[in-house]
């Protein structure tokens, strides 16, 4: 920090020690070129160099090529003090923080000790199911039951967004508490429930349609012959891990009920495909044309809703 006799203040900051020293020497050399009587006349001024995280501007001081103009000389007289003590103090603090952080127990350890509850949102599907000793997450079942109880006739169900703050509140409650009552008045808006269900699927580290199946589903939907296309999709669905298959089956059965009420809620299989396509399946690494991928994602969901009984039915069906 530089404070001049005229009251101007300048701040130079950097994380690089050699750069700080360069500044120090450049400014000191500029001061040394001033008349000695000027230097002695400004003992009440001081110049401190500090380490920090950014570089800021040194205004109106050119130490390399220009002599200070006479009217500016008075403001360029400093008493220089440079010390590495602040730098050493900062380094000691950083070192202590690193040691403290390195000694912190891992998230897995805290969960094993019961200090942190296993999360529902953001966890892998199979881990949620293993924890609940089920093949379909309880939260998914609760949301589906709530929507079928009071949302089948709602205009734009799953398309209309609920209040995001309330959805985040519901997300927090699900992650922190064992029991959830979606009949509570705070979850009265059914769009909050549908928004939370969509968020659950979006936040899965791996989508409901696993990454390794994405290209196979895309190739299947490209098949021109409808019977062959349905058969290919059915074969892929049967290969899915049990939690994925069971969760997918109950979800698509529910969405089929939504589509059956299209005349009231205005949500066709095509509309549901647009809503759920990118939510349920996506490539692990986005390559190529995203618009084309989105088209296939929507078509896959739409076909699986239209041909639900053929894809999820038993072999005898």
């Amino acid at each position: 920090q530089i404070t001049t006799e005229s009251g101007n203040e300048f701040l130079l900051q950097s994380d690089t020690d050699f750069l700080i020293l360069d500044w120090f020497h450049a400014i000191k050399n500029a001061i040394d070129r001033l008349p000695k009587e000027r230097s002695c006349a400004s003992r009440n001024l001081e110049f401190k160099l500090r380490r920090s995280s950014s570089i800021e501007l040194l205004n109106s001081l050119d130490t390399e090529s220009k002599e200070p103009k006479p009217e500016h000389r008075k403001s360029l007289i400093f008493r220089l003090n440079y010390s590495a003590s602040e730098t050493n103090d900062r380094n000691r603090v950083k070192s202590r923080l690193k040691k403290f952080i390195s000694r912190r127990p891992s998230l897995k350890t805290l969960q094993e000790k019961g200090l942190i509850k296993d999360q529902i949102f953001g966890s892998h599907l199979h881990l949620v199911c293993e924890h609940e000793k089920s093949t379909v997450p309880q939260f998914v079942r609760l949301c589906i039951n709530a929507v079928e109880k009071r949302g089948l006739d709602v205009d734009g169900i799953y398309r209309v967004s609920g209040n995001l703050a309330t959805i985040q509140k519901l997300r927090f409650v699900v992650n922190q508490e064992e029991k959830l009552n979606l009949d509570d008045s705070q979850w009265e808006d059914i769009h909050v429930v549908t928004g939370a269900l969509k968020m659950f699927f979006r936040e899965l580290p791996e989508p409901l349609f696993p990454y390794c199946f994405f290209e196979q589903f895309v190739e299947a939907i490209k098949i021109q012959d409808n019977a062959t296309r349905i058969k290919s999709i059915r074969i892929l669905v049967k290969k899915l891990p049990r939690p994925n298959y069971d969760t997918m089956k109950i979800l698509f059965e529910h969405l089929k009920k939504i589509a059956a009420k299209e005349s009231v809620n205005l949500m066709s299989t095509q509309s549901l495909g647009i809503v759920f396509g990118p939510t349920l399946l996506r490539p692990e690494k986005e390559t190529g044309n995203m618009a084309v991928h989105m088209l296939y994602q929507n078509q896959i969901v739409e076909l699986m809703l239209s041909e639900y009984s053929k894809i999820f039915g038993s072999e005898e069906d």
Side-chain angles (χ1 to χ4, degrees):
Q1 179 180 336
I2 303 173
T3 304
T4 69
E5 192 175 69
S6 60
N8 295 320
E9 292 187 353
F10 308 99
L11 179 65
L12 295 86
Q13 296 182 325
S14 175
D15 259 340
T16 311
D17 289 331
F18 73 82
L19 185 59
I20 294 176
L21 288 172
D22 284 346
W23 291 343
F24 174 81
H25 292 305
I27 297 170
K28 184 177 184 300
N29 290 337
I31 294 172
D32 288 343
R33 292 200 299 269
L34 296 175
K36 291 184 178 180
E37 60 273 14
R38 285 293 190 185
S39 298
C40 296
S42 303
R43 296 185 180 278
N44 61 323
L45 304 177
E46 69 174 355
F47 170 45
K48 294 181 180 179
L49 291 177
R50 306 178 186 176
R51 290 186 73 242
S52 189
S53 59
S54 62
I55 300 177
E56 295 192 8
L57 180 65
L58 172 64
N59 294 324
S60 71
L61 181 62
D62 185 349
T63 61
E64 294 185 0
S65 58
K66 295 180 181 178
E67 280 291 325
K69 294 180 180 180
E71 62 268 23
H72 291 161
R73 282 186 178 182
K74 188 175 181 181
S75 65
L76 293 175
I77 301 173
F78 309 95
R79 182 184 58 189
L80 299 182
N81 296 313
Y82 178 74
S83 172
S85 61
E86 271 195 60
T87 298
N88 293 334
D89 289 343
R90 288 173 182 266
N91 288 339
R92 281 196 292 270
V93 171
K94 287 181 180 178
S95 177
R96 289 174 182 173
L97 284 173
K98 286 179 180 178
K99 288 180 180 178
F100 171 75
I101 292 172
S102 65
R103 289 198 299 266
R104 291 181 63 194
S106 66
L107 178 61
K108 183 178 180 181
T109 301
L110 292 173
Q111 289 174 337
E112 289 174 350
K113 291 182 178 180
L115 298 176
I116 293 182
K117 181 181 177 294
D118 290 333
Q119 304 288 287
I120 301 299
F121 282 77
S123 293
H124 285 275
L125 182 65
H126 71 277
L127 293 179
V128 175
C129 291
E130 285 175 11
H131 175 71
E132 297 179 351
K133 296 179 174 57
S134 170
T135 56
V136 178
Q138 182 64 17
F139 177 68
V140 174
R141 292 184 183 275
L142 289 173
C143 288
I144 287 175
N145 290 337
V147 175
E148 292 185 358
K149 182 179 178 181
R150 51 192 172 94
L152 291 179
D153 296 336
V154 175
D155 185 2
I157 190 73
Y158 283 112
R159 186 185 70 243
V160 176
S161 300
N163 182 275
L164 183 57
T166 310
I167 293 172
Q168 291 288 6
K169 182 180 178 181
L170 176 55
R171 178 184 186 274
F172 177 81
V173 170
V174 172
N175 277 339
Q176 298 299 319
E177 299 180 7
E178 291 291 340
K179 294 182 179 180
L180 174 67
N181 179 17
L182 289 178
D183 289 329
D184 191 289
S185 59
Q186 61 184 325
W187 321 124
E188 181 181 4
D189 182 3
I190 197 63
H191 297 303
V192 167
V193 177
T194 58
L197 181 60
K198 289 187 292 183
M199 181 180 285
F200 170 81
F201 284 113
R202 279 199 305 271
E203 292 192 1
L204 288 174
E206 186 169 23
L208 187 60
F209 289 71
Y211 288 130
C212 60
F213 283 84
F214 179 80
E215 291 298 336
Q216 298 177 64
F217 274 99
V218 170
E219 291 304 315
I221 202 65
K222 291 180 181 178
I223 298 172
Q224 295 298 312
D225 180 69
N226 189 55
T228 306
R229 182 166 60 239
I230 295 172
K231 182 179 179 180
S232 299
I233 295 287
R234 176 189 171 91
I235 291 172
L236 289 173
V237 167
K238 296 295 184 183
K239 290 180 180 179
L240 293 173
R242 183 67 184 276
N244 298 70
Y245 176 84
D246 286 356
T247 303
M248 190 180 296
K249 183 176 182 180
I250 192 174
L251 175 65
F252 275 82
E253 183 181 16
H254 165 65
L255 295 179
K256 192 170 178 294
K257 294 178 183 178
I258 298 288
K261 291 271 193 173
E262 177 189 355
S263 60
V264 180
N265 59 39
L266 305 180
M267 292 300 291
S268 63
T269 55
Q270 184 179 14
S271 300
L272 291 168
I274 293 171
V275 171
F276 279 93
T279 299
L280 300 181
L281 71 159
R282 59 185 181 272
E284 185 170 10
K285 294 181 180 179
E286 192 60 59
T287 57
N289 193 322
M290 290 179 63
V292 173
H293 273 170
M294 187 173 293
L295 177 63
Y296 291 140
Q297 290 163 332
N298 301 349
Q299 288 178 349
I300 291 167
V301 172
E302 185 179 351
L303 177 70
M304 291 176 64
L305 286 174
S306 301
E307 305 294 344
Y308 175 85
S309 58
K310 293 180 181 178
I311 293 172
F312 290 96
S314 62
E315 295 291 342
E316 291 78 18
D317 293 344

